[in-house]
Amino acid sequence: MKPRGRSSLYLPGENERELWTRASGGAWEKAKGAPVASETVYAIECLLMDSVPFWAVAPQDGKLDISGVSSLKWESLGITEASEGRSVLHWKVGQIENRVLVGSAGLVPDGPNAEWLAFMPQSFEISPRLQIIPDGEIAVWKELGRYVAAFSREKRLVHFSVLSARELSRSAAQEIGELALSLEIQGLMNKPVGVRVWTDASSEFTAALKCEIAAPVRLEPRPAPVLPEDACDIFPPEVERARRSRLQKRQRTHIALALAAAYTVFFTAWAGWLTWREHKLESNKAVLEQKRPALEELVALKSRWQALESATNADLYPVELFQRIVSLLPDEGIRLKEFQLEHDKLIVSGEASTVGHAMKFKSDLTGSDGLRGFAWIFPQPTILDDNRASFRAEGSTNQEGGVDEAK
């Protein structure tokens, strides 16, 4: 992840972390306040890193896969990249013919840094790459209570190490001298031409270190940090997993809030519709209550009219109905035995000389235009012993519309 666009650095000072911000001229200066994760490059202290410089031989075509070689180097040391984040960083230091000197650093596998997970940075860098060390020299500084020695070749960082010594003494000077000799024997660095001590140190230490290195030792303030040109690929897997977990949690929260909002809108609309429906029913009920007296008067009037209908409707006069039925009788073969009119029911029964005469009378009765106001029930005639047929028909009027309506 490229940090060059970030506006602040959060790096390890001598005893605690320090916030540095970019000034108007582009340089970095120490600042006060709390860092903002989205705007800050988090510098990983040397104590949490291992440094492994090595030579890589380029193939005959000259195309060297430094990343692949670095991965193989760290895998041989037991460090394998996880599926999330990246634990190893490498950079090119220099080249002699087909041999390329590579500096590399990896996170120590001792578990996550609690401050990373609390701060959740979006960009990382390793602290020794933020210091410009003169070509061929060694720099010594204090970082969160521990002393660090870093080595330069061709003005680039080639190696760094946290000293086991807890104070700058003769034993610390001896340890730095042994580190420089080891790098020189491996061909990773030439004999140092000087040492920069960027922290408080006694004259006893500087004198011992000058003897060990056989080069000038300068005691001076630690310079301001400088971001390297090449990007830093390190992104702790624990931070990446935590970041993805937070993102997924945030997405689930957004989905839950969206569903809750949808439910709220739905139930609000439903409640509004129910309120409108209740209001509509109450309004209709008020209208019905207002018109109830007139409706009751109409019902009473209808009842009175139906009571008088038999006396006022000529189609329901007994004499008229009897005359209409008699007109359907043939000259012979049918004899009426009963004619009865009770309210909405008309009963006609009799005897026919044959079944055929009875069925002919049934057809004439149910098909008569003058008797269409009745719905007829005319069961199958009963055959008597002398082959005569006894019949009985029952007609009912439509009480809602009367005979006139049926016609």
Side-chain angles (χ1 to χ4, degrees), residues 1 52 88 175 184 200 204 284 317:
M1 199 174 285
V52 181
V88 175
E175 184 178 353
E184 186 178 347
D200 294 334
E204 179 185 3
N284 292 340
Y317 288 169

Side-chain angles (χ1 to χ4, degrees), residues 145-360:
R146 298 297 299 270
Y147 291 99
V148 176
F151 303 82
S152 169
R153 175 169 175 159
E154 299 185 22
K155 297 183 180 180
R156 303 210 69 183
L157 175 71
V158 64
H159 181 58
F160 62 89
S161 178
V162 177
L163 302 181
S164 59
R166 296 303 180 98
E167 59 181 20
L168 295 182
S169 59
R170 183 176 296 275
S171 62
Q174 184 179 359
E175 184 178 353
I176 296 172
E178 291 174 352
L179 286 170
L181 180 60
S182 174
L183 293 173
E184 186 178 347
I185 292 174
Q186 296 177 65
L188 299 172
M189 183 178 175
N190 298 323
K191 185 176 181 59
V193 297
V195 181
R196 310 281 174 144
V197 180
W198 292 335
T199 185
D200 294 334
S202 65
S203 57
E204 179 185 3
F205 168 74
T206 57
L209 185 58
K210 184 176 181 180
C211 291
E212 289 286 342
I213 301 300
V217 177
R218 296 177 178 83
L219 190 63
E220 58 188 27
R222 184 179 177 181
V226 177
L227 275 173
E229 291 293 332
D230 52 335
C232 178
D233 295 330
I234 281 185
F235 201 89
E238 297 83 3
V239 179
E240 177 64 15
R241 284 192 289 267
R243 187 183 68 84
R244 290 186 181 182
S245 177
R246 286 189 182 184
L247 179 60
Q248 292 171 355
K249 184 177 180 181
R250 189 179 300 114
Q251 289 174 342
R252 288 194 296 267
T253 301
H254 289 168
I255 292 173
L257 290 175
L259 289 175
Y263 279 121
T264 300
V265 172
F266 172 75
F267 283 113
T268 300
W270 187 34
W273 178 80
L274 290 176
T275 302
W276 173 84
R277 184 172 178 269
E278 183 178 359
H279 174 74
K280 187 70 174 177
L281 290 174
E282 291 295 331
S283 177
N284 292 340
K285 183 178 179 181
V287 173
L288 288 175
E289 289 297 330
Q290 183 180 4
K291 295 183 177 181
R292 183 180 296 278
L295 181 61
E296 291 177 348
E297 183 177 350
L298 288 175
V299 172
L301 180 61
K302 180 180 179 182
S303 298
R304 292 195 297 271
W305 174 254
Q306 287 178 343
L308 295 172
E309 188 176 12
S310 60
T312 58
N313 190 347
D315 289 332
L316 294 179
Y317 288 169
V319 175
E320 178 64 25
L321 292 175
F322 182 76
Q323 179 62 36
R324 292 177 183 178
I325 291 174
V326 170
S327 66
L328 300 176
L329 298 176
D331 294 336
E332 56 182 18
I334 297 289
R335 180 170 65 88
L336 290 180
K337 295 176 62 177
E338 181 183 6
F339 174 85
Q340 184 179 351
L341 179 62
E342 296 180 355
H343 301 296
D344 61 341
K345 186 177 295 184
L346 175 60
I347 298 174
V348 177
S349 66
E351 292 181 355
S353 58
T354 64
V355 175
H357 282 85
M359 297 306 293
K360 177 65 168 61

